[in-house]
Amino acid sequence: VAAAAGVSASTVSRVIRKHPDVGQETRARVLGVVDGLSYRPSGLARALASGRSPTIGLLVSDIANPFYPPLAKAIEQRCRKLAYSVVICNTNDDPDTSVEYIERLLAQGVEGFIHASAGPDENAVLAALGDPRRIVFANRRPRSTDVSYVVSNNVGGGRQLGEYLIAQGHSLIAFLSGPPWASSSAERLTGLAGAVEQGGGEMLVAQGDFTPKMAVQAVTTWLERAQPPTAFVGINDQVAAAIYVALTESGLAVPDQAAVAGFDNVEFAWSAAVPLTTVGQRTETMGRRALDILLRQVRNPTQRLTFQDLPMDLFVRNTTDLRRPTRKESPTPSEMAQ
Amino acid sequence: VAAAAGVSASTVSRVIRKHPDVGQETRARVLGVVDGLSYRPSGLARALASGRSPTIGLLVSDIANPFYPPLAKAIEQRCRKLAYSVVICNTNDDPDTSVEYIERLLAQGVEGFIHASAGPDENAVLAALGDPRRIVFANRRPRSTDVSYVVSNNVGGGRQLGEYLIAQGHSLIAFLSGPPWASSSAERLTGLAGAVEQGGGEMLVAQGDFTPKMAVQAVTTWLERAQPPTAFVGINDQVAAAIYVALTESGLAVPDQAAVAGFDNVEFAWSAAVPLTTVGQRTETMGRRALDILLRQVRNPTQRLTFQDLPMDLFVRNTTDLRRPTRKESPTPSEMAQ
DNA sequence: GTGAAAGCGCTAACAT
DNA sequence: ATGTTAGCGCTTTCAC
């Protein structure tokens, strides 16, 4: 170590670690030598000795899904300021992959995880982790009540959209859902169906899987009905876009003959040639909150668990509203940032 | 170590490391004990002792830019198979941030980097790195000739688009570029302008910065001309989408009165309500190649540098071609995967 | 306030 | 083919 060029050996450690017990003058001298010698403290050795490395794992089902990048970015930006690293883990919603990642990163000394795609892997993940305080769930609500989470109020978001569609005069509303194990899907449907039924309307539900694949089939089936629906909701914006495409290819004009809406307010939702009505999540807030909670938990053993539901925001745009000539009226995702 | 429950101490190391010099029977016994004791080799200790941790850093200007997630995913997927981790580093195209990340991760023992957003930070990055073999550039071509890279043939891509637009009968073509230091922007313009001039057409160029911000302004200026352009090209698909929006808000019908095209073929380019003509990159191939090269370099000191130019693919869609009634004819990005 | 010594849990020669 | 001996570069008691 650079001790030779100054005074001692372990004093250097204290200096670097900003330990209080160190003399004014000594500290100055050491610091001088340190950057005079272009010395690089080895994060590895430090991690081994102290048992923790400033790294977290971010579990997502698919980073290429446009919902996740802004979340990842928010987390990464805050981590960078704290000198933390975030390693990105694509689970593909496969429990084995999740567990594999968790075990490997745990051995690598990561301090904790943020899991933005909890699903069938939840129990296995918690088991592999040992300590549930080393993880906080985001986006999808965990079934377990013994872990922290930050999710959107999906029921409320669904309800907002339902009320809006009813107010627009729709009475038969179709919903292309996500997989049954995804809490967000079930919750959005609950809110949506609740509002629709309360407004005297009716729902049609088809099961999808978060991907646009089933859209064509679902729309085709729905349009074959004697009385087809007039409003179509996708579990997310990608699905809604696919529904839009299927509808226009079937010869229906949007929004004149059919309304379309999605969830999440991902970037392309407003930059699409026909701006999409959607219920947005506060993704950046979600990411930052999740990280803060995680770090608090892993650093303070007495910290209590935290459960947060973030509000969702309805963005009315051109796929549902005829009287909306320009796109200027709806804020873009970045305008929403807080 | 679990040596107590078996035979020795460092033999266990050999077993785990799959070292050849170890007896059949011994290996079996050790392995038995290992998972009988739920033993977890510490990646940290291993990294400290061996000097390398199976991790790479992925430098991108902005992971929320839709071009990067598929690249990150391709790299991550391959890394996972190799038991590598990838930590994601948002540089915001700020040299200080890049250097900060590189120094921190180097201290953390990462084996190398893939830099997908080389720019003003190139020299600083190379300096901070010391050994240029610890990095491979992707997407944007480095100025230095002493580093490996995998980039698209942007000149060729630009040329394809230019030839196509000329063939469509356009003679005045506007291009909203990226920042001057971005090789991809300059190269695309070179190819585009070359083809246009060769076809007897003319170019109009405005400088942007990869973001949709300047689109409205640029389009407004262009449309004020006595003889406005009939085709508009954005440096990427987000910019092209913004141009599309600005044009339609100015009352022009696309593609009837104005053609629009972009670069990259990002996901929303085809899922947009009006599918966008674009020149796609082979993003997944780029990511995989870059990783393979990097790993080869850091593991084999005698490995030579590698320079690759990937072809680009023109996707003709509805923002330029009147005679294209359905979207079925143009493959989606996932269909392009190889 | 500072130094000395003992590891953290592995890998890597060297010896057997 | 296996055991022995040293470290990797830090942090952390524990004395002084």
Side-chain angles (χ1 to χ4, degrees), chain B residues 4-75:
Chain B
V7 276
S8 58
S10 62
T11 303
V12 176
S13 174
R14 295 187 242 256
V15 171
I16 292 183
R17 222 165 354 124
K18 303 193 209 303
H19 195 88
D21 285 7
V22 63
Q24 293 298 330
E25 177 202 353
T26 317
R27 155 168 291 125
R29 188 146 35 95
V30 173
L31 286 176
V33 178
V34 158
D35 54 33
L37 256 4
S38 75
Y39 159 73
R40 297 263 230 73
S42 156
L44 283 178
R46 168 191 302 229
L48 177 57
S50 66
R52 35 182 241 95
S53 101
T55 304
I56 69 155
L58 172 62
L59 269 40
V60 297
S61 59
D62 177 10
I63 188 66
N65 175 324
F67 171 72
Y68 293 111
L71 182 72
K73 183 180 180 184
I75 293 172

Side-chain angles (χ1 to χ4, degrees), chain B residues 7 12 48 51 102 108 111 114 124 126 138 145 188 199 205 232 236 258 262 268 277 279 291 315 326 338:
Chain B
V7 276
V12 176
L48 177 57
I102 288 185
Q108 230 75 264
E111 291 185 20
I114 293 177
L126 254 19
T145 56
R188 286 168 188 185
V205 180
F232 299 80
N236 61 27
F268 84 78
T277 291
V279 183
L291 179 63
F315 295 87
T326 89
Q338 356 161 16

Side-chain angles (χ1 to χ4, degrees), chain A residues 55-59 85-89 105 110 112-115 294:
Chain A
T55 306
I56 69 154
L58 172 62
L59 271 39
S85 304
V86 9
V87 357
I88 161 222
C89 313
L105 292 185
V110 308
F113 297 85
I114 292 178
H115 193 341
L294 176 63

